[in-house]
Structures are given as C-alpha cells and as structure tokens.
Amino acid sequence: MNVELTERRRRVLKTVIQHYIDTANPVASHELASEIGVSSATVRNEMSALEEAGLLMQLHTSAGRVPTDMGYRYFVENLMERASLTAQEQRTIKHQFYQVRSDLDQWIHLAAAVLARTVRSAALVTPPRSYESRFKHLELISINDNTILLVLVLQDSTIKQQTLSSEEPYTQEQLGRIAGRLNSLCEDATATVVSELSSSSASLAPPLISLEIHVLELVARAMSLFEDQMNELIHHDGLLEMLEQPEFMQVARVREVLSILQGGTMLDSLIPQALASDGVQVVIGGEHGRDELRDYSVILSRYGVDGEVAGVLGVIGPRRMPYPRSISTVRYIANVMSDLLTDLYGSDTRPVRESK
Amino acid sequence: MNVELTERRRRVLKTVIQHYIDTANPVASHELASEIGVSSATVRNEMSALEEAGLLMQLHTSAGRVPTDMGYRYFVENLMERASLTAQEQRTIKHQFYQVRSDLDQWIHLAAAVLARTVRSAALVTPPRSYESRFKHLELISINDNTILLVLVLQDSTIKQQTLSSEEPYTQEQLGRIAGRLNSLCEDATATVVSELSSSSASLAPPLISLEIHVLELVARAMSLFEDQMNELIHHDGLLEMLEQPEFMQVARVREVLSILQGGTMLDSLIPQALASDGVQVVIGGEHGRDELRDYSVILSRYGVDGEVAGVLGVIGPRRMPYPRSISTVRYIANVMSDLLTDLYGSDTRPVRESK
DNA sequence: ATTTAGCAGTCTCCTGGTACGAGTGCTAAA
DNA sequence: TTTAGCACTCGTACCAGGAGACTGCTAAAT
C-alpha cells in the first residue's frame, strides 16, 4: 500500500472521504480549500495526484472527486480515527441485552436490530454454533398413538425438533425411559459417534430396540446436517434503514442487495472467512473479486467463546459507509455477544475479544 | 353490490380486468373490440357506463381504463372462474411437503416459499398455534454450575428455550427429578393454572423448592407471552418475486411494502380477522379503510385443525393481482398444511377445510 | 519551487417548446 | 342501438439551449 503520501495529501484524502461519506455528493476542490487552509487550485493539484495514485476518481470531467476502493482502503487502514460509541449508547445497548439475557432466541434478533439501527444499514447475524456439534440432551414426547416428537438439544444450546412415527404406541413413561437410556449413551457424543452407536446397536446389552435405533439415526442426521445449514440460519434486519441511503433510489439496487442477503452467494464465502479470522473484517466493494459486491461494503466480526461456540455478525451497506462508526459498532456488539456467551459457556474460558 | 349489469357489461368488465392483470397497462377500448365482438365505440360506451357505476376509472382523459377497488371486488365475487393448480403443480407441491414432513420448522418456510414462487408475490405464514397455550413438557438441562437451560414444549409443539441462573449448583440427575415432578404437576395446564401453582406452592406436599417455583414462574410467563408474540413470528418470503412487478419501479413502493410486512400494522388487524373466519379472505386495496394498504391486496386463509391449532397464511401483492390463481393457491396450500396438522393432532378431528 | 488567481473548456442537468401518439367523447349516419 | 369519423385532451419522448458546477491549465505572485 502506497504510504509515500505527503502529510497534506493524506489530509486531503481523508477530508474528501469524510465529506463524501457525509453528503453522498462528489467533493469539489473549493469545499476543502478553507478546511485544508490553501486555495482551491492547490487542492485541485493534490486531488490530481491522488487520482493519479488511484485513490480518488471523477465520475465525469466536470464533477468533484469520489473515493475508489483503494481510497477507502487507505482511509480505513491509515487515516481514520476510531469512533467508539458514546457511553450513553453503550449503556442503552447493554441494557437492551440485559433485558433479554435469558432468552437465547432473542439475542441474535436484538444484535441485528441494534446493529441496523445504529449504523443505518442492513445487519446480519448468524447464531453461535460449536465448531463441531456435540450431543447434549434429547427428549421424546408422545403426540398421539403413532407420532412422537423428538426434541434434540446440542451442546451449543441449539434446539431442533422433529416428528417420527412409530408402528406401535408408546406411553409417555416408556418414552421417558427410552430417552433416559439414549441420553446416557450419547453423552457429549459427536455426530459420527452417534451414528456408529446406531449401527453397532447389537453389541450393547440390552440391545437397542428398533425405535431407539431409529431415534439415534435421526439424531445423527440432524447433527451432521447442522454444519451445512448455517446459511439458512443467517438472520438479517435493517433493510428499511438501508433503503434510506440515496444509493438505493433505483429499485435495481434493492433487488441486488436482497439477492445478496437471501441468495447468500456472498455469505457462502465471506462468513466462513470471518469465522476463521480474528478481529473485524472489512471488505470494500469488489475487493476480493466478488463482482456482485462491487457496490457494497461488508463489515464482519466473529464473536463467541474460544474453543466453544462462535458466530458471525456484521453489516452490509453501500461502499460509501461511515466506516469508523460501523467498525466500532460491529466490534462493540461482537464483544457484548461474546460476553453473554462467556457467561454461559465455561467461566474458565475467555471471550473472543480484540485487545483495546 | 350492483348486480344490475347487462351481460355484455359484465363481459366487458371481466375482460378489462383480465387484460389489466396480464399487462399492467390501462386497457383501451379497441383492445376489446374484437374480443367482445362489437366496435370500439360500443366498448367505449359500455366502459363509460362502468365508470359511471364506479367499477372502472381513468388515470387521465386520454388513457385507457383500469379497475377500481369496487371493480376488482365485483370481479372476485361475480365474474372470475376458479383456476385450480394443475395436477402437476399439485404433485410437485405435495412432494415438497412430503420431504419435510417430519421437520416442523420447515413447514412454514416451505409454505411461504411455495406461495411466493407460485403467485410471484410476497407470502406470509404464521406458525400453527393453539387457541390457548397448554403445557406439554419441560426439561431442565444443566449448562454450568449456576446456569440451567429450560426447554418448554407446549401442546401445539411450540418450543421455547430460556436460561435461568441458580444460586446453588444442581446435578443433571437432580434437575431430571425436578423436571419430572413439574411435568406431572403441570400436565395439560394452561398459563393461569401454572401461574396459580407457582404461587400456591406451600400447599403441596412436599412443598416446592425455590428453584421449582422460579421455573414455574418462567413457564407461566413464557406461556402467556405467546399470545402477544404472534406478530414476531410471522414468516415471510418472496420479496424478490414481488419486486419484479412493474408497480415496484419506484423505491417508495418497496419501502411501503417492507414496512407493512415488518411493522405489522396491517398484520395486527388482518391476521386476527383471518383467524376468526372460515375460507379465504380477500382484501382489495384500502377496502376496509386501511390506508397504508391502499395500493395492495391481501389474500389470507386460516389453516389448522378445528379446536386444536390454527395459523394463517396468504399473500400480499399489488392490487393488480392474478386473483383466481392466487386464491386457489392460498386455498390449496392451506389445505395441505391442514392435512399435515391433522396427521399430528387427533385423527379423530377433521381439518379446517372449505368444501369444494 | 510552490501557490494562487483567472479563465477557458467540458459535462450534467434543467427548462421550455414541439411533435407525436394514444385514447377518449361526441356527433351524425347506418 | 351500433358504428364510423373526427375533434380534443393529455402524457411522453425528443431536442435545443442555457445555467451551473468543476476542472485543468497558464501565468503571475510569493
């Protein structure tokens, strides 16, 4: 990355980007003259040089300058100052999370809602998941004579329900005993272990009855399915907030962003990457050759508890995005979520958290 | 409702509406001349009369006619023919549902997806719920020394998870015994009964310990909360499909429909109404004085098992909507869902189903 | 050597005017 | 009662021209 910029050029670049982020209008030289303390002609010369360097560009000859992907990148890495949330904002957010602290389902909803409203663009959150599914508990509940509801709880508190039909009727007591036996058999087992159990059932004393085998098969399948289903579980919010941005004046843009969020082409690639890295990831425009993201920027962070569970949260918006604030917000919410999860999983471990 | 229309006028109205639904363009007199078998001048006279009657209108003097709300209403009630799905479509849909038959969570997702793709507008589905929450089963799972995961299953297979913290640590066995006792205490109880149990605990022998009281309080709260939370649980799909319609060329429209779906102002009023009525409900434009729906039509149907569980599903789209097909599709999917639920809840009851 | 004022040049966007096309309502004849 | 014909009304597409916004360049000032 070009670091051979004079101090003044860095200042011009920074100011241009800040103005553009604020106003969504290409920035003219005279807008900066007083701010930089030189004449507009001098600013023009500097801008020329920055354009030469690939950091700024013009939409047409008589327009002001807008940042390029590279320009934004330079800004994010070298120029911008951290913009933490105010103490008041932090208190409000903490308080909201405190109110739903016992309601696991609400966490991701709240995280997405807070992100969206704080940065005024779309937010996405995946639920916290173990690196590998581990069995925690199962329950068999009689629905009617030949239907049983299987409720499966995994180590990461994921809950999955399924029905299964049985030839012969079972009483709730019988089902309770069966569930008890399977629970002790499967304690902490991974998907493969459960799967093996169900196939080598004859070697156990007493051998498993057919219902038990059937249940184990379902459990094994549900557990291994989880690893793929990540995409379906991405929760998002804030479409409405994002539509307020001027870049969404044309419906085509709205369609684009909807298919990115729903189709998940980008999530297939960006989320695993965020899951594998520490800290906040910023993808500006089509940086990594992802053409469908050409006009968008994505800010993602992993959250969770090291070695236990992890999820990803972040925002997606137009390239012209308030990076300092967005990055701070994503980082803050990720920390809050990590703290919440740390309270749940092992007080002996520490949250995934970037050093201040 | 004006039934004093000559046969030919009815035919003109019907044809105008069909053309408009197909093309989204105001319909000119000469487009119908050959179809009706008279000259365009005659068609114009008839159109004039229909405009007089409030069934058609012009956007400006030199434009063709478009239907009014009343026109659509007359069409839906008196003119349109039923358009059942083809046998092939029905087979495909049935097959898709068959594949997820054991996966309760998937039902509403699939229903919304199928609706959206079949009628090419936005679909919404609420999960099937009992008229009154009844307790079915609870489970207490030890997460760590002072955190317990409470999994609550209601009669309608709704599952809710919550954490609670306890002063002193409990082993999983202890928790199992406690859960067992509470399960037999609460069998089939309503929210109020559970609530009474938790407050009159001293009268039981042995009296409930503080953890048990705490759990019962949480259960009671969770059960009564459900009745309000309906709105949050509305699942929708098909935004992208709907955006293909020409009425969504302007972003303002997209915003409108998003806030209707998310804000739920309309769902607060329409869904309870659909839940309380039989058959398919059609709301055209601002018919019931709902101004935010002025430009949209909503088709809803209840589904479920009489006396057991019920939910609502349907579509929302521009007023210019293929009513015959949409109504048939909504009715069909509602029947499929009702059948699925009938297999689960009492084979002795019959599905909510409109007579053919 | 750097900065700056001034100016010519380029490009967008808005405005007003016009021609065109679409579709109607009316009238008078069939 | 129907229909052909025609005048009339509007919306829209198109074009030219002018205003405005910025730039790049040049030449003078520091």
Side-chain angles (χ1 to χ4, degrees):
Chain A
M1 174 112 312
N2 250 333
V3 204
E4 328 125 30
L5 289 181
T6 65
E7 187 52 34
R8 193 172 65 188
R9 267 180 206 164
R10 294 160 58 95
R11 233 180 111 201
V12 169
L13 177 61
K14 180 176 169 184
T15 317
V16 167
I17 293 183
Q18 284 171 339
H19 273 233
Y20 186 61
I21 287 175
D22 283 352
T23 65
N25 289 318
V27 183
S29 53
H30 65 84
E31 288 178 53
L32 308 189
S34 66
E35 199 160 340
I36 304 289
V38 293
S39 76
S40 67
T42 309
V43 175
R44 275 201 289 283
N45 289 330
E46 298 292 54
M47 280 177 154
S48 245
L50 289 166
E51 180 160 5
E52 192 76 17
L55 299 166
L56 293 180
M57 60 180 283
Q58 296 181 275
L59 298 173
H60 52 86
T61 51
S62 74
R65 302 308 211 284
V66 298
T68 62
D69 285 358
M70 253 180 79
Y72 281 123
R73 172 58 62 191
Y74 191 92
F75 174 76
V76 167
E77 310 231 316
N78 306 303
L79 300 179
M80 77 180 190
E81 293 135 28
R82 286 223 178 173
S84 344
L85 301 184
T86 65
Q88 175 59 42
E89 285 172 318
Q90 297 195 8
R91 255 199 310 280
T92 309
I93 292 172
K94 278 246 159 118
H95 178 69
Q96 289 176 286
F97 276 97
Y98 180 78
Q99 288 194 305
V100 300
R101 68 195 176 286
S102 60
D103 218 331
L104 296 181
D105 312 313
Q106 296 290 321
W107 291 5
I108 59 170
H109 290 117
L110 182 58
V114 169
L115 271 174
R117 265 176 281 135
T118 310
V119 309
R120 306 211 71 72
S121 57
L124 47 97
V125 183
T126 74
R129 279 293 143 80
S130 311
Y131 302 94
E132 186 180 36
S133 315
R134 280 186 172 275
F135 180 94
K136 180 96 185 182
H137 192 90
L138 72 77
E139 202 60 27
L140 297 172
I141 298 166
S142 168
I143 299 273
N144 63 36
D145 280 356
N146 44 19
T147 313
I148 297 166
L149 180 68
L150 162 63
V151 178
L152 174 64
V153 183
L154 300 186
Q155 199 85 49
D156 56 14
S157 301
T158 301
I159 293 186
K160 188 143 173 78
Q161 60 179 321
Q162 271 211 314
T163 61
L164 58 144
S165 45
S166 67
E167 304 295 307
E168 42 208 312
Y170 289 88
T171 66
Q172 184 60 58
E173 264 124 37
Q174 290 174 304
L175 290 177
R177 271 196 299 278
I178 292 174
R181 182 176 182 204
L182 296 178
N183 274 324
S184 44
L185 264 176
C186 294
E187 203 172 340
D188 282 344
T190 61
T192 45
V193 171
V194 174
S195 172
E196 279 161 21
L197 262 174
S198 72
S199 47
S200 67
S201 67
S203 63
L204 290 168
L208 297 175
I209 63 173
S210 80
L211 176 67
E212 290 172 324
I213 295 174
H214 187 190
V215 168
L216 286 186
E217 283 167 356
L218 283 179
V219 169
R221 196 152 57 85
M223 285 175 72
S224 55
L225 231 67
F226 258 130
E227 276 131 42
D228 313 324
Q229 277 188 341
M230 194 67 156
N231 304 317
E232 283 209 5
L233 297 168
I234 298 168
H235 174 75
H236 62 250
D237 195 355
L239 270 172
L240 223 50
E241 277 80 3
M242 190 166 55
L243 293 195
E244 283 168 19
Q245 303 298 329
E247 13 275 290
F248 292 98
M249 291 298 284
Q250 327 142 52
V251 222
R253 281 299 175 78
V254 182
R255 257 207 291 279
E256 246 177 57
V257 81
L258 264 179
S259 50
I260 289 171
L261 281 173
Q262 294 185 4
T265 57
M266 83 132 197
L267 307 176
D268 288 342
S269 55
L270 287 189
I271 286 185
Q273 179 186 323
L275 212 43
S277 0
D278 268 344
V280 178
Q281 307 286 308
V282 182
V283 177
I284 297 164
E287 266 187 346
H288 301 330
R290 281 176 247 271
D291 208 50
E292 68 272 33
L293 288 177
R294 199 177 350 93
D295 295 316
Y296 304 96
S297 283
V298 183
I299 299 176
L300 293 177
S301 171
R302 179 161 66 113
Y303 71 91
V305 182
D306 264 346
E308 294 280 341
V309 294
V312 170
L313 57 78
V315 296
I316 175 171
R319 251 183 329 180
R320 181 187 64 79
M321 183 186 262
Y323 291 95
R325 182 168 169 85
S326 299
I327 292 172
S328 298
T329 308
V330 167
R331 179 180 301 133
Y332 183 71
I333 306 282
N335 284 342
V336 170
M337 290 285 280
S338 295
D339 289 345
L340 278 172
L341 288 167
T342 306
D343 289 344
L344 268 193
Y345 301 98
S347 32
D348 47 323
T349 52
R350 59 175 225 291
V352 171
R353 178 193 285 278
E354 208 184 350
S355 56
K356 201 46 167 300
Chain B
M1 173 109 317
N2 250 333
V3 204
E4 329 125 30
L5 288 182
T6 65
E7 186 52 35
R8 193 171 65 186
R9 265 177 210 168
R10 293 159 60 95
R11 235 181 107 203
V12 169
L13 177 60
K14 180 176 170 183
T15 318
V16 166
I17 294 182
Q18 283 170 342
H19 273 232
Y20 186 60
I21 287 174
D22 284 353
T23 65
N25 290 320
V27 183
S29 53
H30 65 84
E31 286 178 55
L32 308 189
S34 67
E35 199 161 338
I36 305 289
V38 293
S39 75
S40 66
T42 309
V43 175
R44 273 201 291 283
N45 287 332
E46 299 292 54
M47 281 177 153
S48 244
L50 288 165
E51 180 159 4
E52 192 75 17
L55 299 166
L56 293 181
M57 60 180 284
Q58 296 181 275
L59 298 174
H60 52 85
T61 51
S62 74
R65 302 310 209 284
V66 298
T68 61
D69 285 358
M70 254 180 78
Y72 281 123
R73 171 59 60 192
Y74 192 92
F75 175 76
V76 167
E77 309 230 316
N78 305 303
L79 300 178
M80 77 178 190
E81 293 134 30
R82 285 221 177 172
S84 345
L85 301 184
T86 66
Q88 174 58 43
E89 286 173 318
Q90 298 195 7
R91 257 200 308 280
T92 309
I93 292 173
K94 278 245 158 116
H95 179 70
Q96 289 176 287
F97 275 98
Y98 180 78
Q99 288 193 306
V100 300
R101 69 194 177 287
S102 61
D103 219 330
L104 296 179
D105 312 312
Q106 296 290 318
W107 292 5
I108 60 169
H109 290 115
L110 182 59
V114 168
L115 271 174
R117 265 178 279 134
T118 308
V119 308
R120 306 211 71 72
S121 58
L124 47 98
V125 183
T126 73
R129 281 292 145 79
S130 311
Y131 302 93
E132 187 180 37
S133 313
R134 278 186 173 276
F135 180 93
K136 180 95 186 182
H137 193 92
L138 72 75
E139 202 59 28
L140 297 172
I141 299 166
S142 168
I143 298 273
N144 63 37
D145 280 355
N146 46 17
T147 313
I148 297 166
L149 180 68
L150 162 62
V151 178
L152 174 64
V153 183
L154 301 185
Q155 199 85 49
D156 57 13
S157 301
T158 300
I159 293 185
K160 187 141 173 78
Q161 61 178 320
Q162 272 211 314
T163 60
L164 58 143
S165 45
S166 67
E167 305 295 308
E168 42 208 314
Y170 288 88
T171 66
Q172 184 61 58
E173 265 123 38
Q174 291 174 303
L175 290 178
R177 270 196 299 280
I178 293 174
R181 182 178 182 203
L182 295 178
N183 274 323
S184 44
L185 264 177
C186 295
E187 202 171 341
D188 282 342
T190 60
T192 44
V193 171
V194 173
S195 173
E196 281 162 18
L197 262 175
S198 71
S199 46
S200 67
S201 66
S203 62
L204 290 169
L208 296 175
I209 63 173
S210 81
L211 175 66
E212 290 172 322
I213 296 174
H214 188 191
V215 168
L216 286 185
E217 282 167 357
L218 283 179
V219 168
R221 197 152 55 86
M223 285 175 71
S224 56
L225 230 68
F226 259 130
E227 277 133 43
D228 313 323
Q229 278 189 340
M230 194 67 157
N231 304 317
E232 282 209 6
L233 298 168
I234 298 168
H235 175 74
H236 62 250
D237 194 355
L239 271 173
L240 262 166
E241 278 81 2
M242 189 164 57
L243 292 195
E244 284 168 18
Q245 303 297 329
E247 13 274 293
F248 293 97
M249 290 299 284
Q250 325 143 49
V251 223
R253 282 298 175 80
V254 182
R255 257 207 292 276
E256 247 177 56
V257 81
L258 265 179
S259 51
I260 289 172
L261 281 173
Q262 294 185 2
T265 57
M266 83 134 197
L267 306 175
D268 287 341
S269 56
L270 288 189
I271 286 184
Q273 180 187 322
L275 255 182
S277 3
D278 268 343
V280 178
Q281 308 286 307
V282 183
V283 177
I284 298 164
E287 266 187 346
H288 302 329
R290 282 176 247 274
D291 208 51
E292 68 274 34
L293 288 177
R294 199 176 351 92
D295 295 316
Y296 304 96
S297 282
V298 182
I299 299 176
L300 292 178
S301 171
R302 178 161 66 114
Y303 72 92
V305 181
D306 264 346
E308 294 279 341
V309 294
V312 169
L313 56 78
V315 296
I316 175 171
R319 250 183 331 180
R320 182 188 63 80
M321 182 186 263
Y323 290 95
R325 184 170 169 83
S326 299
I327 292 172
S328 298
T329 308
V330 167
R331 179 181 299 128
Y332 183 70
I333 306 283
N335 284 341
V336 170
M337 291 284 280
S338 294
D339 289 345
L340 278 172
L341 288 167
T342 306
D343 289 344
L344 267 193
Y345 300 98
S347 30
D348 48 324
T349 52
R350 56 176 226 292
V352 172
R353 176 192 288 280
E354 209 185 349
S355 56
K356 199 46 169 301

